[in-house]
């Protein structure tokens, strides 16, 4: 069945460093979504990408959807302690949303 | 407050017991999704309902069952509980965005099986 893999599983960075998480699907996706879960919280929708090669920005966050629509990335520039949490990608090609395992980001002040 | 309400927030029970988790979707949302999140695990899709009908099924165990009622709230029933069922159970409802379902999650119900 459809699988969505996310790497790395954990990332520790110093505040001010950049951070990137990668998401890869075994099948072509119709769209990719990103969610953030703060420690002790619930996943919150960040953004959705639909078009091949699409790039979207939200302040220090840059989201990309691959040309083949099988991979995506989230890049955070100059991390802050408020960026701490687990970032999930979620892909869909059959209407069913499949989540990656998530990347947990820790930021040292 | 996401608008998706889940009760109880915490639940501690013993192996072999049965529990019911409840979810009310955001006002106007017809869909309800259930996800399980174990320690260090991602979000495992269990089941989806739409306007009272089962729409999609994921890795839901036979010991688990769910339903959506006419007022659109949903219940997830977990029976013959095992230690491994200890997890966070999230409910979500959805809106359509560019042809896809975007999920809004509730705060979750933390189940501990002792």
């Amino acid at each position: 069945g459809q699988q969505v893999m996310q790497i790395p599983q954990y990332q520790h960075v110093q505040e001010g460093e950049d951070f990137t998480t990668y998401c890869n699907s075994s099948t072509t996706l119709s769209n990719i979504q990103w969610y953030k879960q703060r420690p002790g919280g619930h996943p919150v929708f960040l953004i959705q990408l639909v078009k091949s090669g699409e790039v979207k920005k939200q302040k220090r966050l840059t989201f990309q959807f691959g040309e083949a629509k099988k991979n995506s990335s989230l890049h955070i520039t100059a991390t802050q302690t408020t960026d701490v949490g687990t970032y999930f990608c979620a892909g869909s090609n059959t209407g069913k949303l499949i989540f990656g395992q998530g990347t947990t980001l820790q930021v040292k002040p | 407050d996401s608008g998706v309400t889940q009760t109880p927030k915490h639940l501690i029970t013993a192996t072999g017991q049965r529990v019911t988790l409840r979810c009310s979707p955001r006002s106007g949302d017809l869909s309800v999704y259930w996800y399980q999140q174990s320690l260090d695990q991602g979000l495992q899709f269990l089941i989806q309902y739409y306007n009272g009908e089962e729409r999609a099924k994921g890795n839901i165990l036979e010991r688990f069952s769910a339903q959506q009622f006419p007022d659109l709230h949903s219940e997830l029933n977990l029976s013959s509980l095992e230690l491994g069922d200890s997890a966070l159970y999230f409910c979500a409802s959805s809106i359509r965005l560019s042809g896809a379902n975007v999920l809004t999650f509730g705060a979750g119900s933390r189940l501990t099986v002792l």
Side-chain angles (χ1 to χ4, degrees):
Chain A
Q2 181 189 354
Q3 286 190 318
V4 176
M5 308 299 292
Q6 208 173 334
I7 55 169
Q9 189 174 359
Y10 298 98
Q11 184 88 55
H12 297 245
V13 300
Q14 198 73 40
E15 189 173 23
E17 292 181 339
D18 291 357
F19 159 77
T20 304
T21 172
Y22 300 91
C23 182
N24 291 288
S25 170
S26 56
T27 57
T28 301
L29 301 170
S30 54
N31 64 77
I32 191 110
Q33 298 174 9
W34 286 91
Y35 293 76
K36 177 183 178 181
Q37 184 177 18
R38 292 183 188 276
H42 57 275
V44 174
F45 173 74
L46 294 177
I47 207 160
Q48 176 173 265
L49 304 168
V50 178
K51 299 176 187 172
S52 167
E54 188 170 13
V55 178
K56 286 189 177 181
K57 291 193 175 188
Q58 287 181 351
K59 296 183 182 176
R60 295 177 294 103
L61 278 60
T62 302
F63 303 84
Q64 288 189 300
F65 200 9
E67 293 289 341
K69 299 183 78 173
K70 294 180 76 172
N71 57 71
S72 181
S73 65
L74 157 59
H75 179 82
I76 303 178
T77 303
T79 54
Q80 299 175 359
T81 54
T82 53
D83 295 325
V84 162
T86 301
Y87 293 85
F88 292 97
C89 64
S92 168
N93 72 352
T94 59
K96 198 185 294 186
L97 201 57
I98 304 298
F99 280 80
Q101 291 296 96
T103 296
T104 297
L105 172 65
Q106 295 198 5
V107 180
K108 289 175 279 190
Chain B
D1 182 7
S2 67
V4 178
T5 306
Q6 287 189 249
T7 57
K9 284 191 170 16
H10 301 276
L11 191 53
I12 302 174
T13 189
T15 54
Q17 295 298 305
R18 172 191 168 95
V19 298
T20 297
L21 309 180
R22 182 188 167 106
C23 169
S24 292
R26 285 186 318 180
S27 178
D29 288 354
L30 302 178
S31 277
V32 167
Y33 302 73
W34 286 99
Y35 283 84
Q36 180 194 55
Q37 186 176 44
S38 303
L39 198 64
D40 283 345
Q41 295 271 326
L43 291 155
Q44 301 296 319
F45 170 66
L46 296 178
I47 199 163
Q48 177 201 355
Y49 282 85
Y50 180 85
N51 202 19
E53 301 282 327
E54 183 183 302
R55 178 62 68 91
K57 213 168 191 175
N59 300 323
I60 188 166
L61 300 172
E62 284 192 17
R63 300 183 286 109
F64 296 0
S65 65
Q67 60 183 128
Q68 186 179 28
F69 294 87
D71 67 352
L72 301 178
H73 91 271
S74 177
E75 292 181 357
L76 178 66
N77 300 297
L78 316 174
S79 61
S80 303
L81 285 169
E82 302 174 0
L83 296 178
D85 298 326
S86 295
L88 253 179
Y89 291 84
F90 285 109
C91 167
S93 63
S94 66
I95 58 167
R96 294 290 285 179
L97 178 66
S98 301
N101 293 319
V102 171
L103 302 184
T104 299
F105 286 85
S109 292
R110 182 172 294 281
L111 172 66
T112 302
V113 182
L114 301 175

